Amino acid sequence: MPVPDVMFCAQQIHVPPELPDIMKQFTKAAIRTQPRDVLQWSYGYFYALSRGEPLPVKERVEIPVATQKNDTGLTPGLLKILHKQLSEKETVDMPDLQRKWKNLCLPLEQLHNILRLDNFVEGVDWMKFFALACSALGGSLLSSMRHACQILTEDPEGGAARIPYDIFAFLYSYLASLDEEITEEATESFLNALKEQVARKEYMVGVADFGVVKKS
């Protein structure tokens, strides 16, 4: 509904001093995130801002890959936002996950497809969901782990994308356990070889590390 065209005198109008900066930051966040539904995303943005929660904002604009047919589904940048918003809790309430998913303008059907891959009864184990979401981004196990490293790493962009070995091992073991073609012995053998390789690196695993182990 359009705003009525009403004139006010200067004495009637009070502009909060913080409003210009709020709107400037909001505009920059919208440009970086490029939400599909600006109104839905804006609701999530100001809801998070009012509660002091991590904002649904990408760190940078994502360039769609050549094979991406549309921009309506999960991306590494959006999964990184979800991780910042939800990873403080080991178990996430389903309504909270659904709300934040919706506020990122992601299709609920994709969320339901990911949840069907495990039996989440009393809440959602966040790191398991994160692993499943990484598998939705990458077809193979190793490509899923590559996404996980690039999202979780504290290394600068373009760096080694290292994460702690224990986190890598948990995510890898969980995803491997869901693949009927990967035996427990194969998983254990891979992780043991990887652990030996990164022992001299303070048990930090980068993308290049597990690529080498796979080939050997």
Side-chain angles (χ1 to χ4, degrees), residues 128-208:
K128 287 185 177 181
F129 180 87
F130 175 81
L132 294 174
C134 286
S135 71
L137 294 174
S140 69
L141 176 55
L142 288 188
S143 63
S144 301
M145 294 308 303
R146 186 174 295 107
H147 282 299
C149 288
Q150 291 169 344
I151 291 171
L152 296 177
T153 189
E154 295 184 2
D155 289 340
E157 185 180 8
R162 298 166 301 168
I163 64 174
Y165 171 82
D166 289 345
I167 294 177
F168 181 96
F170 172 82
L171 297 174
Y172 184 93
S173 298
Y174 173 65
L175 290 178
S177 70
L178 300 177
D179 190 331
E180 296 179 353
E181 297 183 0
I182 301 178
T183 64
E184 291 185 18
E185 292 76 13
T187 299
E188 184 175 352
S189 176
F190 173 83
L191 291 176
N192 285 339
L194 179 62
K195 189 173 185 178
E196 292 180 5
Q197 179 168 310
V198 301
R200 63 182 183 278
K201 303 177 183 179
E202 298 182 351
Y203 295 101
M204 296 291 288
V205 181
V207 171

Side-chain angles (χ1 to χ4, degrees), residues 12-209:
Q12 291 176 300
I13 300 175
H14 171 68
V15 178
E18 65 271 20
L19 181 60
D21 186 60
I22 289 176
M23 297 310 300
K24 179 180 178 181
Q25 296 304 320
F26 166 75
T27 303
K28 291 168 63 176
I31 292 173
R32 284 204 307 274
T33 307
Q34 298 286 301
R36 184 167 58 91
D37 184 336
V38 176
L39 290 178
Q40 180 66 52
W41 176 83
S42 299
Y43 166 79
Y45 179 93
F46 286 109
Y47 179 86
L49 184 64
S50 68
R51 296 168 64 90
E53 298 176 352
L55 300 175
V57 181
K58 292 181 181 179
E59 294 180 353
R60 61 190 62 82
V61 176
E62 285 186 288
I63 305 300
V65 296
T67 57
Q68 190 171 331
K69 296 182 180 179
N70 55 61
D71 61 355
T72 61
L74 187 66
T75 67
L78 294 175
L79 182 53
K80 190 166 188 175
I81 291 174
L82 287 170
H83 184 70
K84 288 182 178 179
Q85 292 181 319
L86 297 169
S87 60
E88 288 187 0
K89 299 180 180 179
E90 293 183 6
T91 302
V92 178
D93 294 333
M94 188 69 73
D96 195 21
L97 173 57
Q98 291 176 330
R99 180 171 58 253
K100 287 182 169 54
W101 185 274
K102 182 179 179 180
N103 288 340
L104 289 175
C105 312
L106 290 168
L108 288 177
E109 182 180 0
Q110 186 178 29
L111 173 61
H112 296 155
N113 289 338
I114 294 174
L115 292 171
R116 289 190 191 102
L117 298 174
D118 201 334
N119 184 27
F120 297 110
V121 180
E122 297 182 0
V124 179
D125 183 308
W126 173 249
M127 289 308 291
K128 287 185 177 181
F129 180 87
F130 175 81
L132 294 174
C134 286
S135 71
L137 294 174
S140 69
L141 176 55
L142 288 188
S143 63
S144 301
M145 294 308 303
R146 186 174 295 107
H147 282 299
C149 288
Q150 291 169 344
I151 291 171
L152 296 177
T153 189
E154 295 184 2
D155 289 340
E157 185 180 8
R162 298 166 301 168
I163 64 174
Y165 171 82
D166 289 345
I167 294 177
F168 181 96
F170 172 82
L171 297 174
Y172 184 93
S173 298
Y174 173 65
L175 290 178
S177 70
L178 300 177
D179 190 331
E180 296 179 353
E181 297 183 0
I182 301 178
T183 64
E184 291 185 18
E185 292 76 13
T187 299
E188 184 175 352
S189 176
F190 173 83
L191 291 176
N192 285 339
L194 179 62
K195 189 173 185 178
E196 292 180 5
Q197 179 168 310
V198 301
R200 63 182 183 278
K201 303 177 183 179
E202 298 182 351
Y203 295 101
M204 296 291 288
V205 181
V207 171
D209 295 313

